[in-house]
Amino acid sequence: MSFSKTTQIILSLIGALAVLVGGLLTWAYQYRDDAFQYILKEANQNINGRLTARDFGFTPFANGIGFSFSLFDVHLQDTAYTSHRTELLFIQQFTIQVDMKSLFKKEFQIKSVCLKEGKINILVDKEGYSNLSVFRPRDSLSVAKKTDPASLNKVIGNLKDVCFKNVLFSLENIRKDQHIALKAEDLTNYVNRRDTLWELELKGKVYFDEMAFNKKRGAFLSHKPTELDMNMTFSSQTSFLRIFPSKVKVYDDTFELKGSFDFAPQGHAHLEIKTDTIHATRALAIIPKRLADTISRFNILPVVTATVRLDAPLFQRENPMVSIDFQTKTFNYESPMGAILNVVATAHFTNQANPALPASDQNSRLIAKHVTGQLYGNIPLNTFFTVTDFETPFLSMEGNFKADLPQLNSLFDETYFRLNSGKALISYCYTGKMNPIFNEKTNELNGKLDGNAKLENAAFTYFPQRMNFTRMYSSIRFNEKMVDLSYLHFNHRRNKIRISGKVTGLLPYAFNSSDKVNGYIALFTPDLGLDWIRDYNKTISRKNNKLFTKLIAKIASQLELKAVVMAKKVHYRKFEATNVKGHIYFSEKSVKCENVKMHAFGGDFQVTGGIEDFDRPVHRLYARGNVNHADVQKVFYAFENFGQTTISDRNLSGKISTDFTYSSQLTTSFKFVPASMKGRLSFELSNGELNHFEPIQRIQRIFFRKRDFENVRFENIKNQFILQGQELNMEQMKVESSVLTFFVGGTYSFRDKTDLLVQVPLSNLKRSNDDTIMHNLNGNNLVIRALDEKGEIKLKYQLDWRKKLRRADRPESSPFN
């Protein structure tokens, strides 16, 4: 065939087609108005309402072989529109595409429907009336005029798609307090019919304003742009819509969706939504705001993998049932006790914990089956908890901490503490309010706490005092008010300490409390060495920023500890005592003891006293007590001769009983401030001996050369001493010894002011074994004055006759003036 013939045939076909189209267009426009009025008339005869349109359009061969009919400014109103004023439908352009082949068979089959720019508003009022009644046939219609399902199937049986362009849809069920509102921005529903089952593929963009199945409980998908890619089936017989696994994209998060809608009068919507790695904040935005706000109050908002199951009644005034299973990714949580890092949790939430009760906040429950993390980033944490009643959340929690102590050194200042070894195990159970757990006004937990703690072979060093604690074991129980020390055993140097007791006010410090901490303990040790006290240094600096160092310093500043001390043996430098019992009180600023009794110096020793003002540059020491039947040599030895060298434990023996009071200032290194010393001592010395005492031996060389002053034995001696600064003033006392009787009084000084007056009755010159001889100062006396001259005691002697002695009573006539 030649090129010219081919061209001629093509041109002929185009011409014929043009004539056909032209003819059709001519026919369409010729009968346009008649068709428009026919369509409106037929539609209005088959509805229980009123359908109107402003204009009618016709387009042949639209989207293939077929015709498109368009109605413009379409309004659909039910018969009660004048009362409720809610149009069921307003569409600016309603387009129907009709299959051309069906027209040649004198049939009307719709291939597609498209709605552009408009609103669809479904209303159900308080009485249950719905504007969907517009689709109910009129009672006045004859049977012949009523809609024939078979005829309807012929019309829409080959429908392929329905599209929506910027169409608002709303369902307002006033009777059930429900509201669903969305905008189909560009949405197409691809349709395939199999008998009574419609296969649907819904794709496009939808903006959800809200889905409120109960407006009082809040709405799902509030103000959320979404993209839909959904596969569904709809049964026209059962009014049941099934959603097969589909995808819904909300913002940047993609959800897998499946479920069903049962449009029967008692029907429900069942949805299952899954998501991978969505941030909890965005996930909560999908569920009702009130429920989301309740969950948000817990401040646990990690990235999660979640499955949400929803059971929502479509036409009943009930709350939807929500069930959520989720697994978190690693996140950090700021708990009331401090930061918990690297948290991972598996949990389940439902708002219908009791199936016999309706879904509600009060019937909600969150179960965290397994939660792990590191408290403060160092202490391994395992816990299980349940939260119920989201109206006023109630928490039940169990958990434990387990840690190798050296791993916690980063929480301490290395210049103060070092954990050397050991393990710590803490288990606990809490039931009570969740928000808040701790009441700052009452300084108490808002619930019940029970737990136990153990230390196993712990050891640590406290550097400021050069103290090492080793072999530390403990069994501790605690509740919201008290810590009960079943036992706390540890070694400090050679001391083996055993402690039991109770501490109150300690646990609130985990929640940043600053109130008093009170301890009541019993301390036992077989052998307590106190030499470490000399290494005492200043307490922890408040400027330290390490967590536990600050916490210990804070607790120490508020700690008041009362202890019953029992020790088989106590020793400090040269001091030793046995069977020590008494009460001791510790605080940051003071140490006090009360009625501490012991066996010491070969006798019984009881003392009450303490050291105060640790927070000041100068401390205060005070004491009162008594010693009964003690070995005076041991007393002087234990107290290192009271800091003087004139008379020492090598010179004395005998039994001494005393009552004393004493006070003094101390330096920060616990040295006495001599000028501040004050005291009063009443003593009785029996069976005493003074051996190798140089001042007495000097008297022997001059006056009593034939007597043995190397070993001088005394009868009972009683006197009272008053300490003022560095001077010890004593009243004149009579001393009856194995070598002579003398009277002594005056001032003994710990510096250079010693001034003692010794008077020896000359009746001593006659040696007699007659105990009936009474020596006194009424006769002639040898007067010896002991004066401190340049740090050395000098003796001055003078005979004193009675007459002179009487004049000596006057200061101006003293023989030493």
Side-chain angles (χ1 to χ4, degrees), residues 660-680:
F660 64 88
T661 60
Y662 178 81
S663 67
S664 175
Q665 292 180 341
L666 299 174
T667 66
T668 53
S669 59
F670 289 86
K671 293 182 179 180
F672 292 99
V673 178
S676 68
M677 294 190 298
K678 293 181 180 180
R680 182 181 296 272

Side-chain angles (χ1 to χ4, degrees), residues 313-324:
L314 292 178
F315 307 111
Q316 294 82 43
R317 192 171 183 174
E318 298 176 9
N319 296 325
M321 193 278 285
V322 180
S323 173
I324 306 174

Side-chain angles (χ1 to χ4, degrees), residues 199-456:
E199 296 176 347
L200 311 173
E201 186 177 353
L202 189 63
K203 292 187 176 182
K205 296 181 179 181
V206 176
Y207 183 89
F208 281 89
D209 187 55
E210 66 174 11
M211 291 179 62
F213 300 98
N214 184 333
K215 290 194 290 186
K216 291 181 179 179
R217 311 308 300 176
F220 294 84
L221 288 172
S222 295
H223 309 298
K224 296 295 179 293
T226 63
E227 292 185 27
L228 304 180
D229 186 0
M230 301 177 63
N231 294 291
M232 304 171 289
T233 61
F234 177 74
S235 171
S236 58
Q237 282 187 333
T238 60
S239 298
F240 189 83
L241 176 70
R242 183 179 300 280
I243 303 173
F244 294 96
S246 304
K247 291 185 179 180
V248 177
K249 187 176 182 180
V250 182
Y251 286 122
D252 294 327
D253 300 307
T254 300
F255 300 88
E256 293 184 4
L257 174 68
K258 66 179 181 179
S260 64
F261 284 81
D262 183 358
F263 294 101
Q266 301 298 320
H268 283 239
H270 296 274
L271 295 176
E272 180 177 291
I273 306 168
K274 291 184 178 181
T275 180
D276 291 332
T277 61
I278 183 175
H279 196 283
T281 304
R282 299 198 303 272
L284 292 177
I286 299 171
I287 65 177
K289 184 176 183 303
R290 183 172 177 178
L291 178 60
D293 290 344
T294 302
I295 297 175
S296 297
R297 281 188 292 171
F298 305 146
N299 294 320
I300 305 176
L301 301 172
V303 174
V304 298
T305 298
T307 299
V308 180
R309 296 177 181 85
L310 177 69
D311 182 355
L314 292 178
F315 307 111
Q316 294 82 43
R317 192 171 183 174
E318 298 176 9
N319 296 325
M321 193 278 285
V322 180
S323 173
I324 306 174
D325 291 295
F326 63 89
Q327 170 73 51
T328 73
K329 302 299 181 181
T330 301
F331 69 101
N332 298 333
Y333 173 57
E334 193 64 37
S335 77
M337 294 179 61
I340 305 177
L341 306 184
N342 303 318
V343 180
V344 177
T346 300
H348 171 76
F349 168 83
T350 178
N351 65 345
Q352 195 173 17
N354 185 345
L357 299 176
S360 65
D361 285 351
Q362 294 89 341
N363 197 18
S364 296
R365 179 178 63 199
L366 174 68
I367 301 176
K369 301 176 182 177
H370 185 60
V371 181
T372 62
Q374 288 87 43
L375 182 62
Y376 308 122
N378 298 81
I379 305 175
L381 163 69
N382 294 279
T383 189
F384 165 89
F385 66 84
T386 301
V387 181
T388 55
D389 187 358
F390 276 44
E391 188 72 34
T392 55
F394 187 87
L395 173 65
S396 297
M397 179 168 54
E398 297 178 14
N400 61 70
F401 305 92
K402 296 180 181 179
D404 291 323
L405 292 179
Q407 296 178 354
L408 308 183
N409 276 318
S410 61
L411 301 175
F412 293 90
D413 189 303
E414 60 277 7
T415 61
Y416 287 99
F417 293 97
R418 184 181 65 224
L419 301 173
N420 301 317
S421 64
K423 295 180 181 295
L425 302 92
I426 301 175
S427 300
Y428 64 89
C429 176
Y430 171 81
T431 55
K433 288 185 178 180
M434 181 172 182
N435 192 16
I437 290 179
F438 185 73
N439 188 329
E440 295 183 355
K441 293 182 179 180
T442 62
N443 203 49
E444 294 179 346
L445 292 177
N446 283 322
K448 298 293 183 181
L449 177 69
D450 184 44
N452 60 78
K454 291 183 179 181
L455 290 175
E456 295 182 353

Side-chain angles (χ1 to χ4, degrees), residues 161-192:
D161 62 77
V162 179
C163 73
F164 300 87
K165 306 287 186 181
N166 294 323
V167 177
L168 298 174
F169 172 84
S170 73
L171 167 62
E172 183 75 23
N173 190 331
I174 300 174
R175 187 178 189 182
K176 305 300 183 183
D177 200 24
Q178 298 171 340
H179 183 238
I180 297 174
L182 58 90
K183 181 179 181 182
E185 296 177 338
D186 187 2
L187 185 66
T188 300
N189 188 11
Y190 299 96
V191 180
N192 184 33

